[in-house]
Amino acid sequence: MSYKSLIQSGIVLAIILILLAIYFLFFKKSEKLIKINEAKIDNNIDNKILELKYNAVDAEGNSYIIESNAGKVSDKEKNVLILKKVKGIIKIQNSEDIIILSDFANYNKATLDTYFYDNVRLSFDGHSIDSNELFMNYIDKNINIRNNVRYKGLNNKLYADIVEIDLVTKFSKIYMLDKQKKVKVELKQNGSN
């Protein structure tokens, strides 16, 4: 092999290695590991998925598990699953687990964003929030709860239009869409109103 051929082969090999490095650093999503633990696809019923369970873990060790009795792939977006009888479990480091239940949800397998709707209940550490809609952005670790929001804690109740929760800092914003209306709060002290 001549010296010129050896140099050309080395340059080609270096270009391939650089392209592979760029692919793995910038295009391959290594920040989250997503695996399908259980899923049965029933091809006889319009691509219906039965007993679905996804588990995602990010680089900080936080995890998001979503389970559903049944679902199907959206006709409009191949990464979106339309789920029925849904349970979401959010596990943030140094925090209590957050459980979300709903009749339906749209789950994006690529971004992990989940839109829960119809009979939504979020519960954590003795607190519960019921509503008609809840949107969770897993990457940003925030939740937006809206449409008939009812909070129930140990000694109080709250009614609002929107509740926004940062899952990491636990900072919450509670407000009404109509600035003329006020958030309604019922406090119980010593077991009485």
Side-chain angles (χ1 to χ4, degrees):
M1 195 179 224
S2 72
Y3 181 70
K4 187 176 183 181
S5 297
L6 188 61
I7 289 179
Q8 288 175 342
S9 297
I11 291 172
V12 169
L13 182 62
I15 290 172
I16 291 172
L17 290 174
I18 290 170
L19 289 174
L20 284 173
I22 290 171
Y23 171 76
F24 283 109
L25 286 173
F26 297 107
F27 296 110
K28 187 159 176 139
K29 294 183 179 182
S30 61
E31 68 180 338
K32 57 188 174 195
L33 306 172
I34 302 173
K35 56 185 173 183
I36 300 175
N37 294 339
E38 297 176 23
K40 299 176 187 173
I41 298 176
D42 187 349
N43 290 323
N44 298 329
I45 311 174
D46 193 30
N47 283 332
K48 189 172 184 179
I49 302 168
L50 304 173
E51 299 174 25
L52 172 123
K53 183 175 181 179
Y54 274 91
N55 185 13
V57 181
D58 65 17
E60 289 85 33
N62 303 312
S63 70
Y64 176 46
I65 300 165
I66 189 160
E67 301 172 350
S68 172
N69 289 351
K72 69 175 194 168
V73 177
S74 170
D75 296 332
K76 298 175 185 174
E77 175 87 37
K78 69 177 183 168
N79 283 329
V80 174
L81 299 176
I82 301 168
L83 307 176
K84 187 175 186 179
K85 296 297 177 193
V86 186
K87 179 180 183 179
I89 304 168
I90 304 166
K91 298 180 180 217
I92 303 291
Q93 292 292 319
N94 303 318
S95 203
E96 296 288 326
D97 290 356
I98 298 169
I99 310 294
I100 304 169
L101 303 172
S102 70
D103 289 346
F104 300 97
N106 295 347
Y107 172 70
N108 188 315
K109 298 181 297 184
T111 64
L112 307 182
D113 290 347
T114 310
Y115 171 65
F116 297 88
Y117 55 99
D118 291 351
N119 295 316
V120 179
R121 169 163 281 180
L122 179 143
S123 59
F124 64 98
D125 195 27
H127 305 273
S128 70
I129 301 174
D130 295 326
S131 71
N132 295 335
E133 300 176 65
L134 182 151
F135 179 76
M136 185 195 69
N137 181 322
Y138 183 73
I139 301 299
D140 292 339
K141 306 286 186 287
N142 62 48
I143 291 178
N144 184 304
I145 306 165
R146 59 180 52 226
N147 197 351
N148 198 21
V149 178
R150 300 163 316 277
Y151 165 82
K152 185 176 181 182
L154 299 173
N155 292 321
N156 50 49
K157 294 180 181 178
L158 179 139
Y159 304 92
D161 287 338
I162 296 178
V163 174
E164 296 174 352
I165 303 171
D166 183 312
L167 296 172
V168 177
T169 65
K170 304 296 186 266
F171 180 76
S172 300
K173 288 183 1 182
I174 302 166
Y175 55 94
M176 303 297 283
L177 291 172
D178 183 351
K179 302 292 182 197
Q180 302 301 319
K181 294 183 179 181
K182 301 210 183 275
V183 173
K184 182 179 176 185
V185 179
E186 295 177 14
L187 298 175
K188 292 184 182 178
Q189 296 178 355
N190 301 328
S192 63
N193 255 349

